[in-house]
Amino acid sequence: DFSKVKLKKVTINEGKTEQHSSGGGGGGGEIPITLCHDSDEYNKMMMETFLEQYFKQIEQFTFKSVFVPLSVDAARALVKYHKIMDKGGNRKDINNGHDGNGDGDSVAHHPSSALLWEEDDSLVTLMRDIDDAKGKLGIENIFVRLSSRSPKDAALSSPSFTTLAKKKRQQLQHEQVSARNTPVNMALHCLYYASTAALAAEEAREAINLLVHSDRIQGDLEKYIQDNSNTAAGDKGLSSSSSSSSSSSSPSSASMPSTSPSSTEFNVVVREFKQFDVMLEFRGFVYNKRLTAITQYNEYVYFPLLEAHKETVAHVITRFV
């Protein structure tokens, strides 16, 4: 029932414009301000996109999920170890000396090796909570994201990325080359597949490593930390993970995973990972509760099979919505 989903109506004040200059000596023009006027408005709009805001409306249609509250301490630790990686450490520092650039040294190939971030109590607690959530879902592979967005850019840091791309290339080797389905297009198809499949995590350690390696989520983490900078550890809704390592291995009641998220929480969302043909990933646009357009999620790859069956695909999606 999408009638309960609220859409934001944006009104542009008449006459409120900003200068826009075009290149090539063509002169400038005026365009209306259609985006946010300040950071507060942007942050408010961003919070409206958090998965918690609409999960109940789509729960029966989407992947199984468990919401794990993210403590401020764990958020700080994710930012901290991302910065260690960003200063030239890359996987070598994050993986405590194991250089993951080769085929043999990586988290996946060294499941018993201690990761640098595993010295942090808050991330160890988060790892346990994610493992508990995975057990609650009863699935083999998980996909993790924050309330705000996913660490999908971290797929490139996965030790499985190259292997997955090569595997897809083998599958496409007999596909006919054409004016549009060029070798470059096929390579992009392989990279698209690998960037999706590499986000599957068999265990929580891999999931946290994706969060550590993601540039994409850093701004969200820093905003969450800033908003809670004056909040005492242990406040309701937050799990303080800064206690000594002698604390109980069981997560506190404040950080227990939940399938009924609160709209005020900032969570790590542990989701069921399901592999599907990337050709069948789309965006739908809705206006006045009516589906107005459908596009490929990735506009850079041409799929011959999709073009041949686009009417059928459009019919199936339209009928579902």
Side-chain angles (χ1 to χ4, degrees), residues 181-303:
N181 192 29
T182 64
V184 171
N185 182 73
M186 292 183 189
L188 289 173
H189 186 169
C190 296
L191 294 176
Y192 183 17
Y193 166 79
S195 67
T196 301
L199 294 174
E202 291 185 24
E203 56 183 46
R205 296 169 86 243
E206 296 174 46
I208 292 182
N209 229 41
L210 288 171
L211 296 174
V212 167
H213 278 80
S214 174
D215 290 320
R216 190 170 185 257
I217 65 171
Q218 295 305 306
D220 298 336
L221 292 171
E222 290 169 357
K223 179 66 170 57
Y224 173 58
I225 294 166
Q226 180 184 358
D227 289 346
N228 290 276
S229 59
N230 296 321
T231 303
D235 275 358
K236 185 177 180 180
L238 296 176
S239 169
S240 175
S241 306
S242 58
S243 58
S244 67
S245 58
S246 61
S247 300
S248 170
S249 60
S250 299
S252 67
S253 59
S255 64
M256 286 295 288
S258 171
T259 54
S260 302
S262 163
S263 60
T264 60
E265 291 177 341
F266 193 66
N267 298 293
V268 172
V269 189
V270 182
R271 312 201 73 196
E272 176 185 17
F273 183 90
K274 281 192 174 181
Q275 186 65 58
F276 57 89
D277 195 320
V278 293
M279 175 183 70
L280 300 176
E281 188 172 15
F282 302 95
R283 286 187 187 275
F285 296 84
V286 176
Y287 179 72
N288 282 343
K289 301 178 183 178
R290 185 172 68 88
L291 183 66
T292 59
I294 303 168
T295 71
Q296 289 181 207
Y297 183 82
N298 186 332
E299 71 271 30
Y300 299 109
V301 184
Y302 167 71
F303 300 102

Side-chain angles (χ1 to χ4, degrees), residues 91 95 98-111 113 159:
R91 192 181 307 278
N95 203 11
H98 292 291
D99 188 348
N101 293 324
D103 293 332
D105 295 298
S106 66
V107 178
H109 293 87
H110 290 277
S113 63

Side-chain angles (χ1 to χ4, degrees), residues 72-86 123 211-212 214 217-223 225:
V72 176
D73 289 335
R76 288 195 184 102
L78 289 172
V79 172
K80 169 187 173 181
Y81 289 104
H82 178 78
K83 288 179 178 177
I84 291 174
M85 177 205 72
D86 201 38
L123 291 184
L211 296 174
V212 167
S214 174
I217 65 171
Q218 295 305 306
D220 298 336
L221 292 171
E222 290 169 357
K223 179 66 170 57
I225 294 166

